[in-house]
Amino acid sequence: MHIPHITISTVCAEESIQFYTRYCGLAVKTARGILTFMGNADEENDTLIELVAVEENGFCGSGISIGFEVEDAEAYHQKLEEEGLSPTPLKCPSPSTKFFYVTDPNGVRIQFIQH
C-alpha cells in the first residue's frame, strides 16, 4: 500500500507553498483552483503534500508532524535558525540519528532528520 498524499487545509496557501518549496525542497506538481500538490520534482510516485486553500478553519497544527531527510542536520539547523524559523534544539537519540523540528505556516511540526 502506498500513501499518495497528505492533505493540509490552509488559510495561508501562498505562504505554505513558499515554505515547502524553500525549506523542504518540494516543487509544485499540479495546481488546480484551491488545490496544490507538492512533491519531489524528480520522482513519479512519491508521497505528495496536498495544500487545500480555505478561507477559515485551516489546520491548527496539533498532533501531527511530517519528516524530511537532510544530509547534515547540524548545518540545516543553523541555516534555519539564521533565517528566523526558531528550530527546536537538535536531538541525537543515537550516534547515527540527529533531528529537530520547525513549524510550518499552518502550525504543522516539520521534522528534519539525518540518518
Side-chain angles (χ1 to χ4, degrees), residues 26-103:
L26 300 183
V28 173
K29 294 280 208 159
T30 60
R32 294 180 299 249
I34 64 169
L35 302 177
T36 301
F37 288 90
M38 302 190 72
N40 295 308
D42 58 348
E43 291 186 33
E44 286 295 314
N45 294 316
D46 60 340
T47 300
L48 303 175
I49 301 289
E50 176 191 32
L51 299 171
V52 180
V54 295
E55 292 182 19
E56 55 185 57
N57 299 323
F59 183 72
C60 64
S62 178
I64 188 171
S65 70
I66 301 172
F68 290 88
E69 191 167 12
V70 295
E71 287 187 30
D72 185 339
E74 289 180 45
Y76 208 64
H77 184 274
Q78 182 176 345
K79 172 188 165 64
L80 297 187
E81 196 168 55
E82 289 169 359
E83 295 202 16
L85 275 114
S86 303
T88 63
L90 193 66
K91 296 185 181 195
C92 303
S94 72
S96 62
T97 303
K98 299 176 185 177
F99 69 90
F100 65 93
Y101 294 93
V102 298
T103 303

